[in-house]
């Protein structure tokens, strides 16, 4: 039997975001749970937008943010 193909970090991230999106929209979750997942999605969006602005401005990225 072949071992499963390891996923890339990008695929892992996209999978996680898809799970959060599903949980944020699920009518089976209460409002607090949906809000929790929505806040995580909002934080990812905020950080990604900030990183894109920095990249477009020509700033170097570091691991200290």
């Amino acid at each position: 039997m072949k071992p499963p193909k390891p996923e890339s970090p990008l695929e892992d991230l996209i999978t996680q975001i898809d799970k959060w999106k599903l949980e944020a929209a699920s009518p089976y979750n209460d409002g607090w749970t949906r809000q929790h997942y929505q806040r995580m999605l909002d934080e990812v969006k905020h950080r990604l937008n900030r990183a894109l602005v920095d990249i477009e401005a020509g700033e170097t990225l570091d691991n200290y943010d």
Side-chain angles (χ1 to χ4, degrees):
M1 184 166 97
K2 277 194 324 192
K5 179 183 172 188
E7 293 189 30
S8 74
L10 178 60
E11 289 172 352
D12 292 343
L13 178 61
I14 291 170
T15 298
Q16 187 65 57
I17 289 171
D18 286 343
K19 287 178 184 178
W20 292 348
K21 187 172 75 171
L22 179 69
E23 295 293 343
S26 175
Y28 296 103
N29 288 332
D30 64 17
W32 293 107
T33 302
R34 289 193 309 266
Q35 184 181 36
H36 168 75
Y37 288 105
Q38 184 62 51
R39 282 184 181 161
M40 290 195 300
L41 289 166
D42 291 343
E43 180 66 20
V44 169
K45 180 181 176 183
H46 170 75
R47 289 182 182 229
L48 181 57
N49 285 336
R50 193 173 75 193
L52 291 172
V53 168
D54 290 347
I55 291 168
E56 290 171 0
E59 294 183 18
T60 59
L61 298 178
D62 57 37
N63 291 328
Y64 301 109
D65 287 336

